[in-house]
Structures are given as structure tokens and as C-alpha cells.
Amino acid sequence: MNFEWPEGRRFAICLTHDVDRVKKTWWQSLYYFTKTRKPYHLKTLINKGSNPYWNFTKIMEIENKYGVRSTFFFLNESKKLEFLKPSTYKLSLGRYDINSPEIMGIIKELDKNGWEIGVHGSYDSYKNKELLAKEKWVLEKIVGHRVIGIRQHYLNLEIPTTWQLQKEVGFKYDASFGHRRDVGFRENQIMPFKPFREDDDFLVIPTTIMDVALFYKYPAFENAWRKILEIFKYAEKNGALITILWHQRVFNENEFPGWNRIYEKIIEEGLKRKAWFATCKEVWEVFK
Ligand SMILES: [Zn+2]
């Protein structure tokens, strides 16, 4: 392959965060307490002032420390709760209002300081053009400029329909192509690719390592880290792009012990191996 990453770098790392939820609700506190028996979760139930799922400042501090930037995908879930369908509970009850002052505030702050803002397509939007268009428009109104990227919630994807719909409403890239319960390069796609035509500027940026999938498959810290190193070596050898998906809510040591540490280690390892760090938009600019 004669492709070259910017600045003569041998491989690249794209950092991303999905913002699924921003508030730990009382029923989540109760659920985790019954599941883990850790008194910590009861404390979060009683202490209304604490919010372990609001970690934007922490993420900004980490990335500032290393001089890197990432892409945040914000969800605008509109699915209604259906009493007889428990599957809708989590989607509907956990949602936040993207137009609330605190969410709009953090979106603007991130955008102003060099982070990229993208749409985290709501649960049903992968097959619904109106929803895709609406969610894009709402976010654009908040940031005051065009938004070009999307990742679908739960990595919901109907190939190629979803990409076609995203493209029709004006998105320039999708970052939903990846494993839900595994890590690594899906279908050995180590590079962004154009799903339609080469002269088209719609790009698929595959997702390589998602936090929940990593710890689902490799619950022990050492095993998770070993797997990441394996992916790093492979990427370095083959000039690949590694896209990291770390959910906003997991940057809390009490809730997800070790998760933010692995995220920092990923950045340190990438800097050590001289990877090119980029937001999804910057990756798109290289490939468009
Ligand atoms: Zn999501």
C-alpha cells in the first residue's frame, strides 16, 4: 500500500466518545447495588448532588494533558417508553435532553476548544431518514455550524441502507462499522473506506476498540491491555487506523474501575509509538 499518514506517521489513532447517558438515575444506582452489593452505589442513590456519569471535564483534562483531541457523538433519543416492551425502558428512561442548558453548554464548550461534535444516531435512526436529518439539524443549531459525522447507537447498521440514508441527509462519514462484542478490525478493514464510489466523499471510519466490548471479552485488566498491544503492533506493521470508542460515562473510577486508566495508557502507547492522533473529521479530511 502506498498510502501515507500525515507527518510521515506509520499508523493512526482516532479517539471517540459516545455520550449515551449523562446522569446516573436512582434505578441504575439500585440496580448496580443489587448486582454488585457495593455500598458505593447506594451512596449515589442517596446523594442527589453527585453525578458519576458526568465526566466531560475529566476527559478534557486527560486529552489536554497529552495534547490530543477527540470526537464526541451526542445522542438525541426520541424513543418512547412502551410499558409492555422492557427493551424500551433502558433507551427511554436513560435519555437526556440535548436542548437542556447544561448539555448545550458542554457541547459548545467542547466545540469551541477543538473537539469535534458528531451525531450519535438514536436507536431507530439507522433505518429512518427523517430521524437522521432531524438529529443532524438539531445538533447543527446548537454548535452553529455544519456537522459531518455520525455513529449509530448500539452500532446499529443495515449495510448499505444506513450509509445511503446518512449520505442523503448530508453526513460525510459513519463510524458505526465495528464489533459489538469483540475488538479488532472488523472484516479486516484496517483503513477507512468508501462504501459507494471512489470519487464520492462519503467515508466509513471503522471502529476498532470499544470499551464495553473489550471488557466483555477480556474482563481482566492485564488481558485487556495485552489485546490492545497486539492490535497496536498489527496496526503499526500495516499502517492501520485504530479507532477507539470510550463512552463518556465510564471515566469514573468508582463506576468502572480501571477503564479510564486503560484509556490513558492507549494514548501514552500511541504517543510512544509515534502514531498520528486525529479526530474523525481530521481522518475524513485526509481521505475525502
Ligand atoms: Zn450509544
Side-chain angles (χ1 to χ4, degrees):
M1 198 177 345
N2 46 22
F3 175 78
E4 258 182 51
W5 290 105
E7 300 160 25
R9 304 302 173 99
R10 282 161 59 193
F11 70 117
I13 296 175
C14 176
L15 302 169
T16 70
H17 309 286
D18 289 0
V19 185
D20 286 356
R21 45 193 75 226
V22 298
K23 211 179 189 120
K24 191 178 180 186
T25 56
W26 64 267
W27 53 271
Q28 279 167 327
S29 296
L30 205 58
Y31 170 77
Y32 285 115
F33 175 69
T34 19
K35 214 173 121 185
T36 65
R37 296 277 150 194
K38 281 189 190 159
Y40 162 77
H41 293 292
L42 269 192
K43 247 168 50 196
T44 64
L45 171 67
I46 298 157
N47 185 357
K48 292 257 186 298
S50 79
N51 184 10
Y53 285 5
W54 185 275
N55 298 308
F56 295 101
T57 322
K58 172 114 195 238
I59 299 174
M60 289 161 87
E61 276 168 14
I62 292 174
E63 296 181 4
N64 271 334
K65 183 167 96 185
Y66 295 104
V68 294
R69 285 292 179 268
S70 57
T71 303
F72 281 80
F73 295 101
F74 280 85
L75 185 63
N76 184 359
E77 186 59 71
S78 48
K79 206 171 172 69
K80 295 269 180 302
L81 187 137
E82 292 172 60
F83 195 70
L84 296 175
K85 277 198 206 155
S87 63
T88 63
Y89 289 14
K90 206 169 142 190
L91 293 165
S92 180
L93 289 172
R95 70 184 186 206
Y96 55 89
D97 177 8
I98 201 163
N99 286 306
S100 67
E102 65 268 30
I103 298 290
M104 287 204 299
I106 195 68
I107 291 176
K108 285 180 187 162
E109 189 182 341
L110 288 163
D111 178 65
K112 197 176 71 203
N113 289 292
W115 277 274
E116 185 197 358
I117 305 297
V119 171
H120 193 30
S122 65
Y123 193 76
D124 290 323
S125 69
Y126 71 102
K127 50 178 180 179
N128 185 325
K129 194 173 165 181
E130 283 70 40
L131 276 178
L132 287 173
K134 191 192 99 191
E135 290 165 21
K136 183 172 186 285
W137 178 78
V138 169
L139 196 57
E140 285 176 342
K141 240 180 63 180
I142 296 171
V143 289
H145 59 76
R146 198 169 167 208
V147 164
I148 66 162
I150 182 164
R151 177 184 283 127
Q152 301 292 148
H153 196 26
Y154 285 75
L155 306 183
N156 284 345
L157 204 53
E158 205 174 271
I159 299 172
T161 318
T162 308
W163 291 333
Q164 189 62 50
L165 297 177
Q166 292 169 339
K167 183 175 133 86
E168 280 169 22
V169 305
F171 284 110
K172 293 297 179 189
Y173 72 80
D174 173 62
S176 316
F177 186 78
H179 298 290
R180 280 188 196 176
R181 303 219 139 182
D182 199 357
V183 289
F185 301 99
R186 179 171 162 185
E187 292 171 23
N188 206 30
Q189 290 284 2
I190 63 165
M191 284 294 210
F193 60 93
K194 293 188 175 174
F196 303 115
R197 289 161 34 173
E198 272 312 306
D199 59 356
D200 181 282
D201 66 358
F202 184 85
L203 196 70
V204 171
I205 301 177
T207 288
T208 326
I209 305 173
M210 169 164 77
D211 50 7
V212 283
L214 176 73
F215 290 107
Y216 166 81
K217 193 130 189 235
Y218 306 94
F221 188 95
E222 302 73 41
N223 297 341
W225 182 246
R226 196 173 312 134
K227 182 66 194 175
I228 290 173
L229 277 184
E230 193 185 292
I231 294 172
F232 262 80
K233 283 176 194 153
Y234 186 82
E236 204 176 0
K237 197 169 145 218
N238 296 284
L241 169 73
I242 303 175
T243 302
I244 305 290
L245 159 47
W246 237 242
H247 287 82
Q248 188 277 142
R249 73 172 182 283
V250 310
F251 283 81
N252 182 303
E253 190 60 27
N254 289 316
E255 300 280 333
F256 300 89
W259 290 37
N260 62 64
R261 226 168 67 228
I262 289 236
Y263 183 75
E264 284 204 46
K265 266 170 88 76
I266 286 173
I267 301 178
E268 285 170 3
E269 191 68 27
L271 290 170
K272 199 172 90 190
R273 291 173 186 262
K274 304 213 177 329
W276 181 62
F277 278 85
T279 62
C280 290
K281 185 168 185 253
E282 288 163 339
V283 170
W284 174 75
E285 270 156 7
V286 169
F287 283 84
K288 72 182 178 196

